[in-house]
Amino acid sequence: MELAGLLTYGIFFLTLVGIYGLLALGLNVQWGYAGMLNIGVAAFFTVGAYTSAIITTAESSGHLGGFGLPFPVGLASAMALSGILALGVGLITLRLRSDYLAIASIGIAEIVRLTLKNEGWLTGGVRGMAGIPRPLAGLIPGYDATLYLLLVLAFVAAVYWANERAWRSPWGRVLRAIRENEAAARAMGKNSLLFRLQAFVLGAVVMGLAGALYAHFVRFISPEAFNPLFATFLIWVMLIAGGSGNNRGALLGAFVIWIVWSATEIFVTRLPEDLVTRAGALRVLLIGILLQVILLARPQGILPERPPRPERHE
Amino acid sequence: MIQVEHLSKSFGGLRAVNDCSFTLEEGAITGLIGPNGAGKTTVFNMIAGFIKPSGGRILFEGQDVTGFSPERLFSLGIVRTFQIPHEFSRMTVLENLMLVPPAQSGENLFSSWLRWGAVRREERDVRRKGEEVLEFLELTHVRDELAGNLSGGQKKLLELGRTMMTDAKLVLLDEPAAGVNRTLMGKLARMIQQLHRERGYSFCIIEHDMDLIAELCHPVIVLAEGRVLTQGSMESIRRDERVLEAYLGHSGAHETEGAA
Amino acid sequence: MSLLSMEKVTGGYGEADILHDVTLRVEAGEIVVIVGPNGAGKSTAMKAIFGLLKLRSGQIRFDGQDITNWKPDRVVRRGICFVPQTDNVFPTLTVQENLEMGAFVRNDDIRPAMERVFELFPPLREKRRQAAGTLSGGQRQMVAMGRALMLDPKLLLLDEPTAGLSPIFIDQIFQIVKQVNATGIGILMVEQNAKQALAIANRGYVMAQGANRHEGTGQELLADREVAEMFLGG
Amino acid sequence: MDILQLLIYGIVLGGVIALGAIGVSLTFGILGFANFSHGDLMSTGAYIALIFFTTLAWPLWIALPIAMIATAALALAIDRSLYRWFRTRQPVILLISSFGVALILRSLVQMIWGPDTITYQTGIQMPYRVAGLRIRPDQITILLCTIFLVLAVHLFLQRTKMGKAMRAMADNPNLARLSGIDTERVVLWTWVLGGGLAGAAGVFLGLDTRLHPEMGWTLLLPIFAAAILSGIGKPYGAIVGGLVIGIVQEMSTLVIAAAYKPAIAFAILVVMLIVRPTGLFSGRSTV
């Protein structure tokens, strides 16, 4: 590959890592901070992507739309709608044993997936949605992709900052306390439901943001891209590999696992012709085995959780 | 301070607490004793809001607090400890304490994002308070250790220390001396007395160690079979044949009718 | 040679010892009661026999064999059965099934053993198809003891069998203990109801703060004022 | 379509769901975790039967038991190689691991048999017509086999020593250990039973509709809903739960688009969680 091609690929690669990094950061708030099992990351990712797409695209006969509103409005709506969805799920399940949340989150993801496929008037159905505008396009001719990468990275930085501050704040402390021992946290006067709900919604809002950024990046979205494999499972592997409870771990996990994932793609394309059609499954298999190996060998991840050190006072 | 009126609780047909009434006086260290199965822990859990009574009421400073959640009772000034220490194991010892103060402005997510300066100032104060408590508990050397790694005795101290991080009015101690050696027990007793004297906490203590009860508590309430058998000073309790009877068990069926 | 002997057993769950040089023995066919204030380490002593404790020193012998630190299922097979204080039945299983579970390790005909249990506890025969969870407290204790008897143990360990029961049931339980003992089974029992327990015991031990304090026949201990006062400290 | 016709479809589907829910219920009761790989275990069983049933053209009464045994063996192998190591850790780790196992199984199925829809038999079965109702011979087979299997499970749990030990362990694991019950063997049998039933459920699902790598995953939600509806950890309730979910799902097509059938299970689940939030996992502490 020549240098230009490599550079283009690098930008493409890093943009996706950034988007996946956001998803991992969102999941880190839910699982790493608060111990809440969200097996339906895909739902919030999808809602984010489609919301922003519908809000910002020009009119199309294929689906609801034609609002043509600016990108920031799309982004904000995406985050808001994901958050509202999380609020509903959370209100029903967060009082209960964590398995219920896991099961209910799968349910939400399934319903979102069914809606996606069947409500063509809203989402374009299996044909998907095209012509999603990319912000900052044409600002510096020839540098569209680079600019967008910078935008994504700016969001990653902002979310990382917000996550870290939340982790170090009394808010994060209460959340960890609830995760460790809910009865004791309640005896110390902390309203566990309220805090978990906040964490769940916050995580979902970040996932919604990631969805929107993804939609504006690829500019064409269809149900294919939002299957639970890409949009839920990979993110779990990223977070656990990187180190749940550690924001740097979440980002590192996104980076490393995306490399692994991309590498498996290169690997399977070299397989004999007749096997290539089934190669996608092989990649999933490898990632599935990788998760088990991590769980067995290093469950705390590459960068384990570390409690924040309060600043020294003089 | 606390009035327990006709409190009852059954678990699957078994009457753990049966028409139990007593008062915890303000400024007192009240001992709650009784043989196993007397319903002490159940009464305790009902006062702390962890179990809902099936009958009767609990008044705190005249207010009906029956069935309040633990969070709400905490905000009213009722703080409890656990018999088996409920530490937050993957948090440092200092964090375990810093968690406690109620309504910290940094518990609001937006404040911790947008008003970090103010949150930090407050954190400094909370931290100072936490370090004072650690000093009091003589645990300064394990300040940054994960609480899960502490020894059983240290966890017990931490459990007591958490009650010092808030302006409690009534502290409910669930077997503070259980599984604790004599030296540490002496230390705990000293600390409880000091808190009582200097901070004006009222205490209610469930404890099996009668020496500790004798040293700390006045009055002592004796529960047996889910209700109050008697109360008074430890000396008078020791002389009370009925109490001895309750602890040693009655001698046979023929005597039980008179006793009941 | 004693059926069971604990020699200078010291140990606990974690780094802190709960038992200090505890020594006790049970002769074949005896009822031995351990009494003492709450938190004295009575139940812990029983758990030590079942290998559920970390022992730092001391030896536990049963029927001529060293069983120190054996795993629970091995101790069960060897002939000691344990009845916990709470959660001692399978609530959704019927009475009969509870008894069958007691004999899980046996592969021979368990009907004679079950018949003996029913003879000992006639109410259980009538209720044998009823779920154990629906029984009264006293009947549950019968099921719990019956479950333990299904292996024809030589020694039965009872952890506070009367805790939380009303006086009528308490009397019943002590009657049952005597009956079980009459079939030749040794009994080691931790009890809160010291008077009644000592009244039926051959011998008793008083424990306090994880160590032996007094030892004697049931009658001796009952007459000892010092023993009585130990419960209330001072 | 006729309500009675839908009822028949609902009962057939309900039987399949019930077989799956019994397995989920058992693993929850005895091992204490929600097994997210159960649906894909079903798919795997269905595809294994494909070898014997379609490729080798053996009759169902041979192919079905072989598929069940193979699926049980697979479930056992997964337990030995993975779940066993997580058992001493938090149950949530088991759940996450099982989620991964689900994907491993699904991708294996895809790699071996391809991503497309397959049927056991080519050609169209002529449905019987009774009083205006249509019922296919396959559906009758499914119903009879399901009834047979449920009865067999019932007898196993009620009459055999191991079945009783399984119920005992779900009731009170500590007492089971104190009674000398070999808990590892109980776990083994739990997988054998749960896996075998999953295999059968998969085959029946394949007979009723078609085979697809995602067939089991799609049914996971209804299965969980059925298990929760009846009180998870209670294998008998799972049968009732399965029938209710199956029938309501089929009946729902009268009101809403058929594509949303799986969402019905979720709706029932949500209603359950709101109406009876506690006591479902009765006796078990919250994580």
Side-chain angles (χ1 to χ4, degrees):
Chain A
M1 221 187 296
E2 356 165 358
L3 192 63
L6 207 60
L7 205 62
T8 310
Y9 183 75
I11 288 168
F12 169 81
F13 178 85
L14 282 178
T15 309
L16 280 175
V17 167
I19 289 166
Y20 272 100
L22 283 173
L23 288 168
L25 286 175
L27 186 62
N28 193 31
V29 176
Q30 296 179 340
W31 166 246
Y33 290 16
M36 295 183 295
L37 279 163
N38 179 2
I39 309 278
V41 177
F44 306 104
F45 185 54
T46 314
V47 165
Y50 274 85
T51 305
S52 196
I54 290 170
I55 295 278
T56 55
T57 43
E59 193 151 358
S60 148
S61 58
H63 56 82
L64 182 72
F67 301 105
L69 289 167
F71 170 71
V73 180
L75 227 52
S77 319
M79 290 160 74
L81 217 60
S82 293
I84 290 167
L85 184 65
L87 191 67
V89 179
L91 278 174
I92 296 165
T93 56
L94 286 181
R95 289 164 301 156
L96 310 166
R97 213 186 119 113
S98 56
D99 310 54
Y100 283 118
L101 175 59
I103 294 167
S105 62
I106 281 219
I108 285 289
E110 277 292 291
I111 288 183
V112 168
R113 198 174 62 96
L114 289 172
T115 313
L116 215 57
K117 279 193 176 159
N118 297 302
E119 303 304 319
W121 61 271
L122 181 68
T123 64
V126 285
R127 283 173 293 116
M129 256 188 211
I132 303 165
R134 185 185 281 183
L136 309 179
L139 204 62
I140 308 173
Y143 286 91
D144 284 3
T146 317
L147 280 177
Y148 196 73
L149 170 64
L150 290 176
L151 182 72
V152 168
L153 291 182
F155 275 111
V156 171
V159 169
Y160 174 81
W161 174 85
N163 263 17
E164 275 294 301
R165 184 155 278 185
W167 175 251
R168 286 167 199 284
S169 74
W171 183 82
R173 192 160 61 208
V174 173
L175 216 52
R176 283 183 294 140
I178 291 166
R179 179 191 70 184
E180 296 297 307
N181 192 326
E182 191 177 348
R186 293 186 66 196
M188 298 295 118
K190 311 301 179 196
N191 185 335
S192 56
L193 180 62
L194 193 67
F195 279 96
R196 288 159 84 176
L197 207 51
Q198 287 179 30
F200 194 64
V201 171
L202 174 64
V205 165
V206 173
M207 291 167 187
L209 169 69
L213 289 174
Y214 178 78
H216 292 281
F217 174 58
V218 294
R219 289 185 289 178
F220 166 77
I221 52 178
S222 69
E224 195 70 352
F226 298 94
N227 79 31
L229 166 69
F230 298 109
T232 297
F233 185 61
L234 265 187
I235 294 129
W236 269 97
V237 179
M238 285 168 176
L239 183 60
I240 288 176
S244 53
N246 187 323
N247 289 312
R248 255 178 272 182
L251 291 178
L252 181 69
F255 185 74
V256 170
I257 297 300
W258 195 246
I259 288 183
V260 173
W261 182 247
S262 309
T264 58
E265 188 174 16
I266 296 165
F267 166 70
V268 295
T269 48
R270 310 211 165 165
L271 287 175
E273 196 73 19
D274 52 331
L275 281 177
V276 170
T277 49
R278 291 168 185 192
L282 178 63
R283 297 171 68 197
V284 181
L285 181 71
L286 292 175
I287 292 288
I289 291 170
L290 181 64
L291 173 70
Q292 308 296 344
V293 171
I294 296 167
L295 283 178
L296 284 171
R298 197 175 164 85
Q300 73 275 35
I302 307 171
L303 298 174
E305 171 181 336
R306 234 180 282 144
R309 297 259 177 267
E311 300 166 47
R312 306 258 158 224
H313 62 79
E314 314 68 45
Chain B
M1 180 165 238
I2 286 263
Q3 276 166 281
V4 171
E5 295 177 350
H6 308 294
L7 210 56
S8 297
K9 178 74 195 178
S10 323
F11 297 106
L14 189 73
R15 289 224 136 187
V17 175
N18 194 0
D19 196 18
C20 183
S21 303
F22 59 84
T23 309
L24 300 179
E25 295 297 340
E26 179 148 15
I29 304 183
T30 310
L32 204 56
I33 66 169
N36 263 1
K40 302 180 299 281
T41 307
T42 312
V43 167
F44 195 84
N45 276 326
M46 286 193 280
I47 298 176
F50 277 76
I51 298 178
K52 291 210 192 322
S54 26
R57 358 181 254 168
I58 301 166
L59 302 182
F60 177 66
E61 295 182 328
Q63 186 191 358
D64 189 341
V65 296
T66 321
F68 274 28
S69 67
E71 298 94 304
R72 248 180 112 184
L73 291 167
F74 179 91
S75 68
L76 294 174
I78 302 179
V79 186
R80 76 166 292 181
T81 68
F82 294 89
Q83 181 194 344
I84 300 159
H86 277 36
E87 80 285 354
F88 304 112
S89 48
R90 282 190 288 168
M91 290 164 65
T92 67
V93 172
L94 184 60
E95 280 186 303
N96 265 264
L97 294 175
M98 289 178 69
L99 168 85
V100 181
Q104 301 179 37
S105 61
E107 286 177 6
N108 182 315
L109 198 46
F110 292 97
S111 295
S112 55
W113 283 333
L114 306 173
R115 299 180 48 238
W116 187 239
V119 168
R120 234 168 65 179
R121 275 193 298 282
E122 204 180 296
E123 278 286 275
R124 260 203 294 270
D125 293 341
V126 173
R127 183 189 163 88
R128 195 167 298 132
K129 205 167 172 183
E131 289 187 336
E132 277 165 24
V133 171
L134 284 180
E135 223 156 285
F136 179 83
L137 300 172
E138 295 165 26
L139 286 177
T140 306
H141 58 291
V142 290
R143 179 182 54 200
D144 295 328
E145 190 69 47
L146 293 187
N149 299 340
L150 295 187
S151 74
Q154 288 172 325
K155 287 179 186 172
K156 279 282 196 191
L157 286 172
L158 186 59
E159 193 80 21
L160 182 66
R162 285 205 296 223
T163 66
M164 298 168 61
M165 292 298 292
T166 174
D167 298 316
K169 291 180 184 154
L170 173 67
V171 178
L172 305 166
L173 298 177
D174 191 355
E175 299 202 25
V180 158
N181 64 40
R182 304 308 291 181
T183 333
L184 186 57
M185 197 155 105
K187 190 168 161 183
L188 277 166
R190 211 177 65 232
M191 285 172 178
I192 291 167
Q193 272 163 337
Q194 200 176 338
L195 289 175
H196 177 243
R197 212 172 41 237
E198 289 172 8
R199 299 199 175 203
Y201 289 177
S202 307
F203 282 95
C204 172
I205 307 180
I206 294 191
E207 184 49 64
H208 288 315
D209 190 288
M210 294 300 162
D211 295 340
L212 188 74
I213 292 277
E215 192 181 338
L216 289 177
C217 302
H218 186 87
V220 175
I221 298 173
V222 185
L223 295 186
E225 285 165 24
R227 63 179 79 192
V228 175
L229 181 68
T230 180
Q231 61 178 332
S233 71
M234 193 61 205
E235 282 85 75
S236 69
I237 300 263
R238 277 203 180 114
R239 283 192 301 269
D240 195 326
E241 285 298 324
R242 285 177 305 165
V243 176
L244 211 54
E245 191 84 349
Y247 266 88
L248 298 181
H250 49 90
S251 319
H254 52 283
E255 282 181 28
T256 52
E257 276 154 69
Chain C
M1 187 191 56
S2 306
L3 181 63
L4 175 86
S5 66
M6 279 176 91
E7 284 291 332
K8 288 189 173 291
V9 166
T10 299
Y13 299 105
E15 61 264 56
D17 292 333
I18 296 174
L19 302 180
H20 307 279
D21 283 341
V22 174
T23 295
L24 55 84
R25 68 194 157 80
V26 183
E27 304 294 338
E30 261 190 333
I31 298 182
V32 174
V33 174
I34 310 175
V35 297
N38 279 340
K42 297 169 304 213
S43 301
T44 313
M46 284 208 168
K47 287 182 185 144
I49 298 170
F50 254 74
L52 298 170
L53 210 62
K54 253 199 286 186
L55 297 193
R56 278 207 301 125
S57 64
Q59 196 191 33
I60 302 171
R61 295 182 68 79
F62 177 68
D63 206 10
Q65 203 171 7
D66 188 347
I67 61 160
T68 320
N69 288 328
W70 277 24
K71 288 227 171 72
D73 59 318
R74 199 160 162 218
V75 179
V76 171
R77 275 169 226 256
R78 189 67 187 76
I80 308 181
C81 284
F82 180 59
V83 182
Q85 182 185 340
T86 53
D87 293 329
N88 51 20
V89 299
F90 300 110
T92 71
L93 268 60
T94 66
V95 169
Q96 187 170 337
E97 286 168 340
N98 265 276
L99 298 180
E100 287 171 26
M101 286 303 107
F104 187 83
V105 298
R106 284 176 64 161
N107 290 318
D108 52 342
D109 188 4
I110 60 167
R111 271 173 302 185
M114 196 172 296
E115 191 54 36
R116 269 201 304 284
V117 171
F118 285 148
E119 267 162 36
L120 213 49
F121 311 122
L124 296 190
R125 190 193 297 274
E126 294 159 36
K127 309 220 160 179
R128 66 176 184 275
R129 301 206 187 287
Q130 202 170 317
T134 64
L135 300 180
S136 70
Q139 288 166 342
R140 273 189 201 217
Q141 284 294 347
M142 291 184 195
V143 175
M145 255 187 262
R147 182 193 55 76
L149 290 174
M150 288 298 290
L151 282 181
D152 295 330
K154 296 196 178 93
L155 178 65
L156 197 59
L157 304 188
L158 305 176
D159 189 4
E160 304 211 10
T162 66
L165 294 181
S166 64
I168 311 148
F169 285 128
I170 292 176
D171 293 331
Q172 225 174 40
I173 294 291
F174 284 121
Q175 283 308 314
I176 293 168
V177 171
K178 274 204 282 195
Q179 274 174 284
V180 170
N181 178 248
T183 64
I185 298 170
I187 286 176
L188 178 63
M189 171 163 72
V190 166
E191 219 358 277
Q192 275 285 315
N193 282 295
K195 270 192 189 171
Q196 260 179 303
L198 288 172
I200 62 162
N202 298 93
R203 287 183 310 104
Y205 291 88
V206 181
M207 280 181 73
Q209 287 155 25
N212 292 81
R213 284 301 168 86
H214 291 268
E215 178 184 347
T217 66
Q219 296 310 319
E220 278 168 14
L221 291 179
L222 268 180
D224 194 337
R225 181 71 195 174
E226 213 182 307
V227 171
E229 278 172 358
M230 182 165 288
F231 281 83
L232 299 180
Chain D
M1 219 188 301
D2 199 2
I3 290 184
L4 277 175
Q5 186 66 53
L6 287 175
L7 185 66
I8 291 171
Y9 292 161
I11 290 170
V12 173
L13 180 65
V16 174
I17 293 174
L19 289 179
I22 293 172
V24 163
S25 218
L26 281 173
T27 31
F28 190 90
I30 288 163
L31 291 149
F33 81 105
N35 181 11
F36 274 68
S37 67
H38 204 80
D40 290 283
L41 208 53
M42 284 169 52
S43 320
T44 316
Y47 276 91
I48 290 172
L50 189 71
I51 305 173
F52 305 100
F53 196 39
T54 305
T55 315
L56 300 175
W58 290 354
L60 183 71
W61 59 271
I62 299 176
L64 178 65
I66 294 177
M68 285 175 68
I69 292 166
T71 316
L74 180 65
L76 205 54
I78 295 168
D79 180 69
R80 296 290 107 168
S81 52
L82 288 175
Y83 298 154
R84 181 159 60 122
W85 308 105
F86 300 131
R87 234 172 266 153
T88 49
R89 311 227 309 252
Q90 293 165 296
V92 284
I93 302 295
L94 272 167
L95 197 158
I96 294 169
S97 171
S98 75
F99 180 50
V101 167
L103 276 158
I104 292 180
L105 290 175
R106 205 177 319 157
S107 49
L108 277 175
V109 165
Q110 264 197 52
M111 280 173 65
I112 300 170
W113 288 282
D116 301 324
T117 304
I118 307 178
T119 50
Y120 280 130
Q121 280 154 329
T122 46
I124 297 161
Q125 276 193 323
M126 284 310 290
Y128 300 122
R129 289 174 189 278
V130 183
L133 297 175
R134 292 181 311 277
I135 183 159
R136 281 183 289 124
D138 277 349
Q139 289 174 323
I140 292 173
T141 315
I142 293 170
L143 264 183
L144 290 178
C145 290
T146 304
I147 291 169
F148 172 78
L149 283 174
V150 166
L151 278 176
V153 171
H154 173 80
L155 288 177
F156 177 79
L157 288 176
Q158 286 299 325
R159 298 288 165 85
T160 67
K161 198 164 152 183
M162 185 44 75
K164 289 172 192 174
M166 282 169 74
R167 286 160 53 216
M169 196 166 153
D171 257 13
N172 188 340
N174 283 326
L175 189 63
R177 229 160 273 140
L178 273 176
S179 305
I181 292 174
D182 185 345
T183 48
E184 272 301 302
R185 236 175 84 212
V186 173
V187 170
L188 185 148
W189 276 94
T190 306
W191 288 115
V192 168
L193 196 61
L197 292 177
V203 174
F204 297 156
L205 189 62
L207 272 180
D208 191 30
T209 55
R210 278 160 305 183
L211 286 87
H212 187 268
E214 291 203 355
M215 62 195 275
W217 175 254
T218 325
L219 214 60
L220 188 64
L221 199 61
I223 286 172
F224 274 132
I228 290 175
L229 182 66
S230 56
I232 198 154
K234 293 178 186 145
Y236 299 122
I239 298 161
V240 182
L243 284 176
V244 170
I245 301 282
I247 292 169
V248 175
Q249 271 201 20
E250 291 296 338
M251 293 287 190
S252 72
T253 53
L254 291 171
V255 207
I256 60 163
Y260 286 102
K261 267 199 273 182
I264 293 303
F266 181 72
I268 296 174
L269 184 78
V270 166
V271 171
M272 277 299 296
L273 293 182
I274 292 170
V275 177
R276 245 186 77 193
T278 50
L280 295 178
F281 288 96
S282 53
R284 286 184 181 271
S285 59
T286 51
V287 168

